[in-house]
Amino acid sequence: MDKDIDIAIVGGGIVGLTAALSLHAAGFSPIVYESVSEPAPLGVGINLLPHAVRELAELGLLSELLSLGVAIDDLHYLTSAGQEVWHEHRGLAAGYHWPQIAVHRGALQMFLIEKVIERLGPLSIRLGAELVSVENVEGKAQARFASRTGGITGIEADLIIGADGIHSAVRKQFYPDEGSPRWNGITLWRSTSLVKAPYTGRAMIWAGWSKQKFVAYPIGRDPESGLDILNWICDLQITDPGLPPPRDWNKVGALADFLPRFADWHWPGVDVPEIVKAAGPVYEFPMLDRDPLPRWTFGRITLMGDAAHPMYPIGSNGATQGIVDARVMAFHLAQSTTIDEALEKYEADRREATAKIVLMNRAQGPDRVLDLAVERQGAGEYELDLVMPMAERAEIAFHYKKVAGFDPERLNARESLSAII
C-alpha cells in the first residue's frame, strides 16, 4: 500500500496517540485531532497489562514507561474480612516476557503526546479541534472540526479513525439513536493517597464483591515523602442497573457518601479507612459501558478503543484493548494492498474479540471469584476451601486471560505485530 495516504485520528487520548505512534512506525504520517486546547495530566491510575506493554515496548517505549509507573508483580483477591480468595503473580513474575505496569493515566497521556511530537513533528497534533461531523464522499472520508473561537475547519482524508472515547462523536454519527452509555448502578470513588503500599509494594488488591469493592495498587513514589502513590477505588451499588447515568461526570466526591460502608475494612497491612483519609481530592464516576456494535467501519471511517468497545473497569482491560487495537490497525495497513482490505481485517480481528470481553466484564470477569466466595460462604459458616475448590478459582482466572488475549504461553509465542512493519 502507498504509505503517502492521509490518515486522521479523532481523539488525542492514550489510544489515539498510540495509534499515531504505531502508524508512524509502519511508515505512515497520521494527524491527531484533539478537542482539548491544553492537555493536562488529569485522572488517576490505570494498569497496562502485558499484552499492551508488549506493543508499547515494540514502539521503543518500555524503559521510559517503567520510570513513569510501577511494575506489578502480584494480585490478591480478598473478602471484605481480608480472607484471601485468590492470589496470582503478574507480569514478569508470572512468566510473561513483558511486565504489567500501573501508571497515572494523565502522566501516560502527556508522555505519549511528547513522543508523538518528537517522532511525527509538532504539526502532528491539532489541539482545540472538536469534531462536528464525519462522512464518506466519493471514496474519501471528510470531517469538520469546530475551534474554540467558533471557526469551522474541514479536512479530507483517505482514512479517519474515531478514537474519541465512550462519548465518541464519530460513533454517534453512525449510531445516532444509541443514547447514553449503559450504567450498572455502581458508582466509583477514586483518588490517590501517599502511604506505604500494602504487601510487597508492587501488588494489586481487589477486595469485597461486585456491589461493594475496594481496589488499590501503587502507581509511583512521591519524591518528597518517599511514600508510595497508591491509586484506590471504592465501588458501591447505589441504584438498580438500567437507570440513566448521572450527568455530572468526574465530580468531586464526599467521603461521607461511601466511607462509612468501609469502616471495618482493615486487615493486617491494609487499612481501607486510613488509606482513603490520606487522599487528596476524591472523584466520583458512574460505572459505564455500551452494548457491542454490529459494525465499526463505514467506508473509510472506523472506530477504535472506547469509541468502539467501552467496557466496565474490570480485569484492567480498557486501555489495554485500545492499545492492541492501534497496533493491529497499523499492522494490517502495513501488509494490505488497499485501505478497505486493511479495515476489513482490522475489524475481523478486533470487533468480536473485544465484544466478548465487554460481555465477560458485565458478568464480573475474573472478579467473579469474589461474588462466588460471598455466595458460598454465606455469613461465614462455611470454609471457603470446602465450598470453592482452588481449581475452580484458577479456571476463572485462566479463562479470562485466554478470552482477553493475555494467556502467558500464547502471548509469549505470538508473532510480533512489528514483524513486517
Side-chain angles (χ1 to χ4, degrees), residues 73-369:
D73 291 336
D74 290 283
L75 167 63
H76 299 268
Y77 278 110
L78 310 173
T79 68
S80 61
Q83 179 182 7
E84 190 158 271
V85 177
W86 175 250
H87 165 258
E88 67 183 38
H89 294 303
R90 283 287 174 127
L92 298 176
Y96 292 99
H97 293 172
W98 306 271
Q100 174 176 327
I101 300 175
V103 64
H104 189 283
R105 178 184 290 273
L108 176 60
Q109 182 181 10
M110 300 305 290
F111 166 71
L112 293 174
I113 288 173
E114 176 186 324
K115 289 299 171 184
V116 169
I117 292 173
E118 176 186 302
R119 296 181 183 185
L120 282 75
L123 297 181
S124 60
I125 302 180
R126 311 291 170 87
L127 300 174
E130 183 172 358
L131 185 76
V132 175
S133 65
V134 288
E135 61 180 335
N136 288 286
V137 178
E138 297 180 355
K140 297 273 190 176
Q142 294 183 352
R144 296 169 68 242
F145 297 93
S147 71
R148 294 300 178 186
T149 59
I152 300 292
T153 300
I155 67 157
E156 183 173 86
D158 298 291
L159 171 61
I160 291 178
I161 299 170
D164 50 341
I166 192 169
H167 299 293
S168 170
V170 177
R171 177 173 174 142
K172 190 173 183 179
Q173 293 282 304
F174 300 104
Y175 296 94
D177 301 323
E178 186 177 28
S180 299
R182 185 179 184 273
W183 184 31
N184 65 359
I186 293 174
T187 293
L188 296 76
W189 286 267
R190 306 189 62 161
S191 189
T192 58
S193 298
L194 298 184
V195 295
K196 185 179 184 299
Y199 295 102
T200 62
R202 302 163 75 91
M204 306 165 68
I205 299 169
W206 256 247
W209 64 307
S210 59
K211 295 184 179 181
Q212 182 175 358
K213 190 185 302 178
F214 175 74
V215 174
Y217 49 86
I219 59 173
R221 178 161 291 181
D222 177 54
E224 294 184 7
S225 66
L227 293 170
D228 297 302
I229 304 170
L230 190 71
N231 180 83
W232 58 262
I233 310 161
C234 287
D235 298 2
L236 282 177
Q237 179 144 17
I238 63 171
T239 189
D240 293 331
L243 294 176
R247 291 192 177 189
D248 191 1
W249 293 71
N250 196 23
K251 73 175 183 179
V252 176
L255 299 189
D257 290 339
F258 68 96
L259 190 54
R261 296 276 297 276
F262 295 87
D264 60 351
W265 286 39
H266 42 80
W267 325 291
V270 182
D271 190 319
V272 174
E274 289 304 309
I275 290 171
V276 170
K277 289 174 185 176
V282 176
Y283 295 96
E284 183 179 322
F285 303 84
M287 187 182 289
L288 305 171
D289 72 358
R290 289 187 185 274
D291 290 332
L293 293 175
R295 180 179 175 188
W296 289 357
T297 303
F298 298 83
R300 294 296 184 82
I301 303 166
T302 196
L303 301 172
M304 183 177 288
D306 280 352
H309 48 75
M311 57 187 68
Y312 293 157
I314 291 170
S316 304
N317 254 289
T320 286
Q321 293 299 325
I323 288 168
V324 175
D325 288 349
R327 291 280 290 166
V328 170
M329 169 67 81
F331 177 82
H332 285 309
L333 280 172
Q335 70 169 342
S336 299
T337 56
T338 67
I339 296 173
D340 297 325
E341 177 191 348
L343 290 174
E344 183 178 348
K345 290 180 176 178
Y346 161 70
E347 184 163 334
D349 276 355
R350 298 300 297 153
R351 186 170 59 80
E352 286 297 326
T354 53
K356 290 176 181 177
I357 305 170
V358 171
L359 298 178
M360 280 194 75
N361 283 5
R362 285 185 183 176
Q364 294 305 305
D367 295 11
R368 192 160 64 91
V369 292

Side-chain angles (χ1 to χ4, degrees), residues 83 373-387:
Q83 179 182 7
V374 170
E375 292 168 10
R376 295 183 189 178
Q377 278 194 298
E381 63 266 32
Y382 301 107
E383 286 290 334
L384 185 59
D385 288 345
L386 296 178
V387 295

